[in-house]
Amino acid sequence: MSSSFAKTPCTIVTGFLGAGKTTLVRNLIETANGRRLAIIVNEFGDVGIDGDILKSCGVPNCPEDRIVELSNGCICCTVADDFVPALKSLLDQKEPPEHIVIETSGLALPKPLVQAFNWPEIKTRVTVDGVVAVVDGPAVVAGRFADDPAALAAQRAGDTSVDHDNPLEEVFEDQLLCADLIVLNKSDLMTEDERKHVVSEIAGKVQRAVKVVAAEHGKLSASVLLGLGAAAEADLAARPSHHDSEAEHDHDDFESFVLDVPRQASPDELAARIRAAVEGHDVLRVKGFVEVAGKPLRLLVQGVGNRIQHQFERAWRAGESRQGRLVVIGERGLDVPAITSLIAG
Protein backbone atom coordinates (compact mmCIF):
# COMPACT_ATOMS: atom_id res chain seq x y z
CA MET A 1 0.00 0.00 0.00
CA SER A 2 1.39 3.37 -0.97
CA SER A 3 2.16 5.90 1.73
CA SER A 4 0.54 9.33 1.66
CA PHE A 5 4.09 10.67 1.50
CA ALA A 6 4.96 8.64 -1.61
CA LYS A 7 5.40 10.45 -4.91
CA THR A 8 2.62 10.05 -7.45
CA PRO A 9 3.98 8.16 -10.48
CA CYS A 10 3.56 9.78 -13.91
CA THR A 11 3.97 8.24 -17.33
CA ILE A 12 4.89 10.42 -20.34
CA VAL A 13 3.66 9.13 -23.71
CA THR A 14 5.51 10.66 -26.64
CA GLY A 15 5.55 10.02 -30.38
CA PHE A 16 4.64 11.74 -33.64
CA LEU A 17 1.12 12.47 -34.80
CA GLY A 18 -0.45 9.32 -36.20
CA ALA A 19 1.79 6.88 -34.32
CA GLY A 20 -1.13 5.73 -32.17
CA LYS A 21 -0.69 7.52 -28.84
CA THR A 22 -4.40 8.20 -28.28
CA THR A 23 -5.39 4.60 -28.86
CA LEU A 24 -2.58 3.44 -26.60
CA VAL A 25 -3.75 5.70 -23.77
CA ARG A 26 -7.38 4.65 -24.18
CA ASN A 27 -6.39 1.00 -23.96
CA LEU A 28 -4.33 1.83 -20.90
CA ILE A 29 -7.36 3.43 -19.22
CA GLU A 30 -9.53 0.41 -19.99
CA THR A 31 -7.00 -2.08 -18.56
CA ALA A 32 -6.02 -0.16 -15.41
CA ASN A 33 -8.03 -2.54 -13.19
CA GLY A 34 -9.63 0.18 -11.09
CA ARG A 35 -6.48 2.22 -10.50
CA ARG A 36 -7.39 5.92 -10.19
CA LEU A 37 -5.91 7.60 -13.26
CA ALA A 38 -5.66 11.14 -14.55
CA ILE A 39 -4.72 12.18 -18.06
CA ILE A 40 -3.04 15.40 -19.21
CA VAL A 41 -3.52 15.83 -22.96
CA ASN A 42 -1.42 18.26 -25.03
CA GLU A 43 -3.18 19.50 -28.18
CA PHE A 44 -2.49 21.81 -31.14
CA GLY A 45 -6.05 22.96 -31.87
CA ASP A 46 -7.66 20.23 -33.94
CA VAL A 47 -4.30 18.58 -34.62
CA GLY A 48 -2.73 16.08 -32.21
CA ILE A 49 -4.57 14.20 -29.53
CA ASP A 50 -8.31 14.57 -29.21
CA GLY A 51 -9.19 14.82 -25.54
CA ASP A 52 -12.84 14.19 -26.36
CA ILE A 53 -11.97 10.65 -27.42
CA LEU A 54 -10.50 9.94 -24.00
CA LYS A 55 -13.32 11.73 -22.16
CA SER A 56 -15.87 9.52 -23.89
CA CYS A 57 -14.22 6.28 -22.79
CA GLY A 58 -16.70 5.98 -19.90
CA VAL A 59 -14.30 4.12 -17.60
CA PRO A 60 -15.16 4.97 -13.95
CA ASN A 61 -11.54 5.05 -12.75
CA CYS A 62 -10.79 7.95 -15.14
CA PRO A 63 -13.74 10.42 -15.04
CA GLU A 64 -13.86 13.53 -17.20
CA ASP A 65 -12.69 15.83 -14.38
CA ARG A 66 -9.39 13.95 -14.37
CA ILE A 67 -8.75 14.53 -18.07
CA VAL A 68 -7.04 17.89 -18.56
CA GLU A 69 -6.50 19.35 -22.03
CA LEU A 70 -3.61 21.75 -22.67
CA SER A 71 -4.15 23.50 -26.00
CA ASN A 72 -1.80 26.49 -25.72
CA GLY A 73 0.95 24.95 -27.80
CA CYS A 74 3.88 22.60 -27.36
CA ILE A 75 3.85 21.32 -23.76
CA CYS A 76 7.65 21.39 -23.52
CA CYS A 77 7.56 25.11 -24.41
CA THR A 78 4.81 26.04 -21.93
CA VAL A 79 5.92 24.23 -18.78
CA ALA A 80 5.44 27.20 -16.44
CA ASP A 81 2.21 28.48 -17.97
CA ASP A 82 0.36 25.21 -18.47
CA PHE A 83 1.91 21.94 -17.39
CA VAL A 84 2.91 22.61 -13.77
CA PRO A 85 -0.41 24.30 -12.84
CA ALA A 86 -2.35 21.45 -14.50
CA LEU A 87 -0.35 18.85 -12.62
CA LYS A 88 -0.85 20.67 -9.32
CA SER A 89 -4.60 20.94 -9.89
CA LEU A 90 -4.81 17.15 -10.20
CA LEU A 91 -2.62 16.50 -7.17
CA ASP A 92 -4.71 18.89 -5.08
CA GLN A 93 -8.00 17.10 -5.77
CA LYS A 94 -9.86 15.65 -2.80
CA GLU A 95 -9.18 12.16 -4.18
CA PRO A 96 -5.96 12.65 -6.15
CA PRO A 97 -5.08 10.17 -8.90
CA GLU A 98 -2.90 7.18 -8.16
CA HIS A 99 -1.15 7.51 -11.52
CA ILE A 100 -1.00 10.37 -14.04
CA VAL A 101 -0.50 9.85 -17.77
CA ILE A 102 0.82 12.80 -19.80
CA GLU A 103 0.20 12.48 -23.52
CA THR A 104 2.29 14.96 -25.49
CA SER A 105 1.66 16.38 -28.91
CA GLY A 106 3.63 15.00 -31.83
CA LEU A 107 6.00 17.97 -31.69
CA ALA A 108 6.82 18.04 -27.99
CA LEU A 109 10.30 17.19 -26.79
CA PRO A 110 10.10 14.69 -23.91
CA LYS A 111 13.30 15.65 -22.08
CA PRO A 112 12.27 19.23 -21.12
CA LEU A 113 9.05 17.75 -19.77
CA VAL A 114 11.02 15.24 -17.68
CA GLN A 115 13.23 18.09 -16.46
CA ALA A 116 10.14 19.96 -15.31
CA PHE A 117 9.56 17.30 -12.66
CA ASN A 118 12.45 18.91 -10.76
CA TRP A 119 10.38 22.11 -10.46
CA PRO A 120 10.31 23.04 -6.74
CA GLU A 121 6.51 23.07 -6.51
CA ILE A 122 6.13 19.46 -7.67
CA LYS A 123 9.52 17.82 -7.10
CA THR A 124 8.52 16.19 -3.80
CA ARG A 125 5.09 15.13 -5.04
CA VAL A 126 5.61 13.38 -8.39
CA THR A 127 8.08 11.18 -10.23
CA VAL A 128 8.40 10.09 -13.86
CA ASP A 129 7.57 6.38 -13.69
CA GLY A 130 8.56 6.06 -17.32
CA VAL A 131 8.72 7.68 -20.76
CA VAL A 132 6.93 5.64 -23.43
CA ALA A 133 7.77 6.45 -27.07
CA VAL A 134 5.24 5.25 -29.65
CA VAL A 135 6.75 4.57 -33.08
CA ASP A 136 4.88 4.25 -36.38
CA GLY A 137 6.51 1.02 -37.56
CA PRO A 138 5.45 1.06 -41.23
CA ALA A 139 6.59 4.69 -41.56
CA VAL A 140 10.07 3.76 -40.33
CA VAL A 141 10.12 0.81 -42.75
CA ALA A 142 9.39 3.30 -45.55
CA GLY A 143 12.34 5.43 -44.48
CA ARG A 144 10.27 8.03 -42.65
CA PHE A 145 9.74 8.80 -38.96
CA ALA A 146 6.02 9.65 -39.34
CA ASP A 147 3.25 8.69 -41.72
CA ASP A 148 3.10 12.20 -43.24
CA PRO A 149 6.24 14.19 -42.32
CA ALA A 150 5.38 16.96 -44.80
CA ALA A 151 2.07 17.64 -43.05
CA LEU A 152 3.81 17.51 -39.68
CA ALA A 153 6.41 20.06 -40.82
CA ALA A 154 3.69 22.34 -42.20
CA GLN A 155 1.75 22.14 -38.95
CA ARG A 156 4.83 23.07 -36.95
CA ALA A 157 5.67 25.95 -39.28
CA GLY A 158 2.21 27.37 -38.76
CA ASP A 159 2.31 27.26 -34.96
CA THR A 160 4.21 30.15 -33.39
CA SER A 161 4.08 28.55 -29.93
CA VAL A 162 6.70 25.95 -30.89
CA ASP A 163 10.07 27.34 -29.83
CA HIS A 164 12.29 24.63 -31.31
CA ASP A 165 12.92 24.31 -35.02
CA ASN A 166 15.47 21.51 -35.31
CA PRO A 167 14.87 18.98 -38.11
CA LEU A 168 11.95 16.68 -37.34
CA GLU A 169 14.30 13.70 -37.62
CA GLU A 170 16.08 15.06 -34.54
CA VAL A 171 12.79 15.45 -32.67
CA PHE A 172 12.08 11.77 -33.47
CA GLU A 173 15.51 10.77 -32.19
CA ASP A 174 14.98 12.82 -29.01
CA GLN A 175 11.76 10.90 -28.38
CA LEU A 176 13.64 7.61 -28.66
CA LEU A 177 16.66 8.76 -26.63
CA CYS A 178 14.45 9.77 -23.70
CA ALA A 179 12.36 6.60 -23.67
CA ASP A 180 12.24 3.85 -21.03
CA LEU A 181 9.95 1.75 -23.24
CA ILE A 182 9.49 1.95 -27.02
CA VAL A 183 6.23 0.75 -28.53
CA LEU A 184 6.59 -0.43 -32.11
CA ASN A 185 3.00 0.20 -33.17
CA LYS A 186 1.11 -1.06 -36.25
CA SER A 187 3.19 -4.24 -36.13
CA ASP A 188 0.39 -6.06 -37.96
CA LEU A 189 1.25 -3.98 -41.03
CA MET A 190 4.86 -5.21 -41.08
CA THR A 191 6.49 -8.50 -41.93
CA GLU A 192 8.70 -10.22 -39.39
CA ASP A 193 11.81 -9.10 -41.28
CA GLU A 194 10.55 -5.53 -41.35
CA ARG A 195 9.93 -5.59 -37.59
CA LYS A 196 13.47 -6.85 -37.01
CA HIS A 197 14.84 -4.12 -39.28
CA VAL A 198 13.03 -1.38 -37.35
CA VAL A 199 14.14 -2.77 -33.99
CA SER A 200 17.72 -2.84 -35.27
CA GLU A 201 17.44 0.74 -36.51
CA ILE A 202 16.09 1.89 -33.14
CA ALA A 203 18.91 0.08 -31.33
CA GLY A 204 21.39 2.00 -33.48
CA LYS A 205 19.99 5.30 -32.21
CA VAL A 206 19.46 4.40 -28.55
CA GLN A 207 22.68 3.59 -26.73
CA ARG A 208 21.21 2.32 -23.47
CA ALA A 209 19.17 -0.83 -23.02
CA VAL A 210 15.55 0.04 -23.76
CA LYS A 211 12.94 -2.62 -24.41
CA VAL A 212 11.01 -2.46 -27.68
CA VAL A 213 7.50 -3.93 -27.53
CA ALA A 214 5.41 -4.61 -30.64
CA ALA A 215 1.75 -3.62 -30.62
CA GLU A 216 -1.26 -3.65 -32.92
CA HIS A 217 -3.64 -0.69 -32.72
CA GLY A 218 -1.91 0.48 -29.54
CA LYS A 219 -3.21 -2.52 -27.63
CA LEU A 220 -0.95 -2.80 -24.62
CA SER A 221 -2.28 -3.16 -21.11
CA ALA A 222 -1.57 -0.95 -18.14
CA SER A 223 0.50 -3.73 -16.60
CA VAL A 224 3.04 -3.30 -19.42
CA LEU A 225 3.06 0.50 -19.55
CA LEU A 226 2.83 1.43 -15.87
CA GLY A 227 5.12 0.54 -13.00
CA LEU A 228 8.43 0.95 -14.82
CA GLY A 229 9.92 2.74 -11.80
CA ALA A 230 12.37 4.72 -13.93
CA ALA A 231 12.49 7.94 -11.84
CA ALA A 232 13.54 9.55 -15.12
CA GLU A 233 13.86 13.05 -13.64
CA ALA A 234 16.86 11.79 -11.64
CA ASP A 235 18.40 10.10 -14.70
CA LEU A 236 18.68 12.99 -17.16
CA ALA A 237 22.33 12.38 -18.06
CA ALA A 238 21.38 9.03 -19.59
CA ARG A 239 18.88 10.76 -21.89
CA PRO A 240 20.90 12.86 -24.38
CA SER A 241 19.05 15.31 -26.62
CA HIS A 242 19.80 17.36 -29.69
CA HIS A 243 18.36 20.29 -27.72
CA ASP A 244 20.50 20.02 -24.59
CA SER A 245 22.39 23.22 -25.45
CA GLU A 246 19.25 25.29 -26.05
CA ALA A 247 18.60 27.66 -23.16
CA GLU A 248 14.86 27.87 -23.78
CA HIS A 249 14.52 24.20 -22.92
CA ASP A 250 16.64 24.20 -19.77
CA HIS A 251 13.82 23.87 -17.24
CA ASP A 252 15.63 21.82 -14.59
CA ASP A 253 17.66 24.55 -12.88
CA PHE A 254 15.39 26.60 -10.63
CA GLU A 255 15.60 28.54 -7.42
CA SER A 256 13.09 30.30 -5.21
CA PHE A 257 12.98 32.83 -2.40
CA VAL A 258 10.35 34.31 -0.07
CA LEU A 259 9.74 38.03 -0.28
CA ASP A 260 8.19 39.98 2.62
CA VAL A 261 5.76 42.55 1.26
CA PRO A 262 4.45 45.48 3.32
CA ARG A 263 0.78 46.54 3.42
CA GLN A 264 -0.29 47.65 -0.05
CA ALA A 265 -2.51 50.55 -1.04
CA SER A 266 -3.59 49.09 -4.40
CA PRO A 267 -3.73 45.48 -5.67
CA ASP A 268 -3.45 46.69 -9.27
CA GLU A 269 -0.30 48.66 -8.55
CA LEU A 270 1.23 45.60 -6.85
CA ALA A 271 0.32 43.45 -9.87
CA ALA A 272 1.97 45.99 -12.19
CA ARG A 273 5.20 45.90 -10.16
CA ILE A 274 5.21 42.09 -10.13
CA ARG A 275 4.69 42.09 -13.90
CA ALA A 276 7.65 44.44 -14.32
CA ALA A 277 9.83 42.09 -12.24
CA VAL A 278 8.71 39.09 -14.28
CA GLU A 279 9.39 40.79 -17.58
CA GLY A 280 12.76 42.17 -16.49
CA HIS A 281 14.13 39.05 -14.83
CA ASP A 282 13.98 35.25 -15.10
CA VAL A 283 10.92 34.98 -12.85
CA LEU A 284 8.61 32.12 -13.72
CA ARG A 285 6.14 32.00 -10.86
CA VAL A 286 4.92 34.27 -8.03
CA LYS A 287 2.35 33.34 -5.40
CA GLY A 288 1.36 34.37 -1.90
CA PHE A 289 -0.81 36.58 0.29
CA VAL A 290 -0.67 40.33 0.91
CA GLU A 291 -2.51 42.78 3.16
CA VAL A 292 -4.30 45.70 1.48
CA ALA A 293 -4.89 48.86 3.49
CA GLY A 294 -8.48 49.27 4.66
CA LYS A 295 -9.52 45.76 3.57
CA PRO A 296 -10.57 43.02 6.05
CA LEU A 297 -9.75 40.26 3.55
CA ARG A 298 -6.33 39.01 2.58
CA LEU A 299 -5.30 39.30 -1.05
CA LEU A 300 -4.31 36.12 -2.90
CA VAL A 301 -1.71 36.78 -5.61
CA GLN A 302 -0.90 34.23 -8.33
CA GLY A 303 1.50 34.89 -11.19
CA VAL A 304 2.40 32.50 -14.02
CA GLY A 305 4.71 34.14 -16.50
CA ASN A 306 3.50 37.72 -16.96
CA ARG A 307 -0.11 36.78 -16.22
CA ILE A 308 -0.69 38.18 -12.73
CA GLN A 309 -3.99 37.48 -11.01
CA HIS A 310 -5.23 38.67 -7.63
CA GLN A 311 -8.41 38.30 -5.60
CA PHE A 312 -9.56 38.81 -2.04
CA GLU A 313 -9.70 35.31 -0.64
CA ARG A 314 -10.83 35.26 3.01
CA ALA A 315 -10.89 37.35 6.17
CA TRP A 316 -7.74 37.62 8.24
CA ARG A 317 -8.06 35.40 11.31
CA ALA A 318 -7.80 36.77 14.84
CA GLY A 319 -4.16 36.78 15.90
CA GLU A 320 -2.96 35.86 12.40
CA SER A 321 0.12 37.67 11.17
CA ARG A 322 -0.73 40.06 8.37
CA GLN A 323 2.79 40.16 7.06
CA GLY A 324 2.55 39.83 3.30
CA ARG A 325 4.70 37.06 1.80
CA LEU A 326 5.27 36.08 -1.80
CA VAL A 327 7.17 33.05 -3.06
CA VAL A 328 9.19 33.91 -6.17
CA ILE A 329 10.39 31.06 -8.41
CA GLY A 330 12.71 31.42 -11.36
CA GLU A 331 15.76 30.15 -13.14
CA ARG A 332 18.94 29.92 -11.10
CA GLY A 333 20.82 33.21 -10.80
CA LEU A 334 17.84 35.42 -9.96
CA ASP A 335 18.76 39.00 -9.06
CA VAL A 336 17.03 38.89 -5.68
CA PRO A 337 17.77 42.53 -4.61
CA ALA A 338 16.50 43.94 -7.93
CA ILE A 339 13.36 41.82 -7.86
CA THR A 340 12.73 42.69 -4.23
CA SER A 341 13.07 46.39 -4.97
CA LEU A 342 10.66 46.19 -7.89
CA ILE A 343 7.94 44.21 -6.12
CA ALA A 344 8.09 45.55 -2.57
CA GLY A 345 8.18 49.14 -3.78
Side-chain angles (χ1 to χ4, degrees):
M1 183 178 295
S2 62
S3 163
S4 60
F5 297 99
K7 293 183 179 182
T8 300
C10 302
T11 296
I12 297 172
V13 179
T14 185
F16 277 124
L17 175 65
K21 299 188 300 296
T22 303
T23 307
L24 182 88
V25 172
R26 179 160 184 165
N27 287 328
L28 187 158
I29 293 171
E30 293 175 346
T31 61
N33 295 322
R35 185 181 309 187
R36 274 198 320 275
L37 297 179
I39 313 294
I40 296 178
V41 183
N42 184 206
E43 303 222 42
F44 282 97
D46 60 352
V47 179
I49 304 156
D50 189 351
D52 288 339
I53 294 175
L54 299 176
K55 288 181 178 181
S56 65
C57 69
V59 180
N61 63 302
C62 189
E64 287 194 19
D65 65 352
R66 291 210 193 103
I67 298 177
V68 180
E69 295 180 73
L70 304 181
S71 56
N72 292 332
C74 177
I75 194 172
C76 68
C77 303
T78 60
V79 168
D81 288 349
D82 297 307
F83 173 64
V84 171
L87 194 58
K88 282 189 83 271
S89 72
L90 291 171
L91 296 171
D92 292 339
Q93 289 184 351
K94 185 176 180 180
E95 270 198 327
E98 296 171 316
H99 200 114
I100 299 173
V101 178
I102 301 124
E103 190 172 355
T104 74
S105 79
L107 297 177
L109 304 172
K111 187 171 180 178
L113 193 55
V114 174
Q115 290 172 323
F117 280 75
N118 288 312
W119 191 285
E121 285 187 273
I122 60 174
K123 184 175 183 178
T124 61
R125 303 181 68 184
V126 288
T127 183
V128 182
D129 179 64
V131 178
V132 177
V134 184
V135 174
D136 186 331
V140 177
V141 169
R144 305 189 299 269
F145 45 83
D147 186 52
D148 192 346
L152 196 63
Q155 185 261 313
R156 181 174 70 171
D159 198 308
T160 58
S161 66
V162 180
D163 293 338
H164 47 90
D165 59 359
N166 292 53
L168 289 171
E169 291 88 344
E170 293 186 359
V171 177
F172 175 61
E173 288 182 6
D174 276 10
Q175 293 172 352
L176 297 178
L177 291 168
C178 197
D180 298 290
L181 179 69
I182 296 173
V183 176
L184 182 57
N185 202 23
K186 307 180 185 180
S187 63
D188 53 316
L189 302 180
M190 296 181 286
T191 66
E192 181 62 27
D193 285 344
E194 287 172 337
R195 284 194 289 272
K196 289 180 180 179
H197 168 74
V198 175
V199 171
S200 175
E201 187 169 332
I202 290 172
K205 297 179 183 296
V206 181
Q207 302 304 310
R208 59 196 181 97
V210 176
K211 188 173 182 180
V212 179
V213 180
E216 299 178 10
H217 308 289
K219 290 184 178 178
L220 286 175
S221 73
S223 61
V224 174
L225 300 169
L226 307 184
L228 300 180
E233 72 278 6
D235 186 34
L236 293 170
R239 303 165 193 271
S241 166
H242 290 285
H243 302 79
D244 282 342
S245 62
E246 295 183 7
E248 64 265 28
H249 287 287
D250 186 12
H251 297 300
D252 64 327
D253 194 13
F254 306 110
E255 66 174 299
S256 63
F257 68 94
V258 177
L259 171 61
D260 289 339
V261 180
R263 181 188 297 114
Q264 297 294 301
S266 166
D268 289 337
E269 290 177 5
L270 173 63
R273 295 200 304 273
I274 293 174
R275 190 172 294 108
V278 168
E279 293 174 350
H281 299 273
D282 293 325
V283 175
L284 301 170
R285 198 74 199 277
V286 178
K287 62 178 183 176
F289 301 97
V290 175
E291 181 184 12
V292 177
K295 300 293 184 181
L297 305 178
R298 70 178 188 177
L299 186 74
L300 168 64
V301 179
Q302 292 267 24
V304 179
N306 64 0
R307 297 201 306 266
I308 313 300
Q309 298 176 323
H310 56 80
Q311 65 185 71
F312 288 104
E313 182 226 16
R314 65 162 174 82
W316 293 99
R317 298 190 179 101
E320 180 180 14
S321 171
R322 297 197 178 191
Q323 172 63 62
R325 307 194 84 191
L326 295 176
V327 177
V328 180
I329 302 170
E331 296 187 18
R332 192 160 299 281
L334 289 175
D335 188 339
V336 176
I339 295 169
T340 299
S341 176
L342 278 170
I343 295 178

